[in-house]
Amino acid sequence: MHVLALPGRTGGDSVISTRNETKVPSPATATMRAAATWFLDQPTPPPHGSVQGFSQAFRSYLGQLSPWIEQITRTLAEDDVPAQVALTGVGKARRRLGEAERADLNGEMERVRRLARSVVALCDHYDALTGLTMCLACDTPIEGDDESLPYDYVSPSGGAAWSGRLHARCINIGRRPRH
């Protein structure tokens, strides 16, 4: 087990350990995930100014998550598969950060959605690397004493699949699939 001091949301440090021990999630990742999933769930584009605001927030979140993940992966073996997958996600997020703003609202919405998907993905990688398990329905941590159930979803087309856990209290909560 490794212990890391990562920057917290208020400027202080959050101490987290990687794998094999209960962790206290950084409140920042819950906030990041909530904002990104809310944005992705919007059926119509919000006003252009709001899209710009989310763009700035997601850029900031990715700027925080990327070094956190890189710091964690440096403590793991070079051939650690989850670490390598997380680093691939960091690379993809950085490419998305390099995309130019779009002039039209629909184009800008799609660009910011890609940033939001990277935020959710990096939060997922961060959780996986630190051993945190999040409920797929409510996006809150599943603590050691919480009753939870496994969840598997396979697309009717046979393509996509999700696997994870749900709080027992969230089992009947519906949620649109992530984009």
Side-chain angles (χ1 to χ4, degrees):
M1 189 235 7
H2 303 280
V3 177
L4 305 170
L6 298 177
R9 187 147 177 92
T10 60
D13 287 343
S14 301
V15 176
I16 2 179
S17 58
T18 59
R19 303 215 182 124
N20 303 326
E21 184 178 295
T22 303
K23 270 63 88 208
V24 177
S26 168
T29 58
T31 301
M32 293 174 191
R33 182 190 309 277
T37 55
W38 181 89
F39 188 83
L40 289 169
D41 286 343
Q42 297 312 296
T44 59
H48 193 266
S50 295
V51 174
Q52 296 289 37
F54 277 103
S55 174
Q56 291 173 354
F58 297 154
R59 294 175 69 78
S60 173
Y61 297 163
L62 293 170
Q64 292 174 28
L65 285 163
S66 296
W68 290 355
I69 289 170
E70 290 169 333
Q71 184 178 1
I72 292 168
T73 59
R74 282 193 291 274
T75 68
L76 302 172
E78 252 185 64
D79 62 348
D80 186 87
V81 174
Q84 294 307 310
V85 172
L87 289 173
T88 301
V90 168
K92 187 171 190 176
R94 287 199 171 120
R95 284 189 298 279
R96 287 177 171 172
L97 285 168
E99 292 179 5
E101 287 185 22
R102 304 295 193 264
D104 65 300
L105 179 59
N106 288 333
E108 184 63 359
M109 183 74 175
E110 284 309 309
R111 183 188 70 84
V112 177
R113 277 189 174 134
R114 286 191 292 278
L115 291 175
R117 283 192 290 273
S118 283
V119 168
V120 172
L122 292 191
C123 285
D124 290 345
H125 291 306
Y126 178 84
D127 295 346
L129 292 172
T130 59
L132 181 66
T133 302
M134 298 293 284
C135 175
L136 294 174
C138 69
D139 282 331
T140 60
I142 296 176
E143 305 294 338
D145 59 346
D146 289 344
E147 186 179 348
S148 67
L149 302 163
Y151 175 82
D152 291 311
Y153 170 81
V154 178
S155 158
S157 66
W162 285 354
S163 183
R165 298 200 67 80
L166 296 170
H167 288 113
R169 67 180 180 266
C170 296
I171 199 71
N172 292 320
I173 294 175
R175 179 166 177 194
R176 289 183 21 192
R178 294 180 187 156
H179 301 273

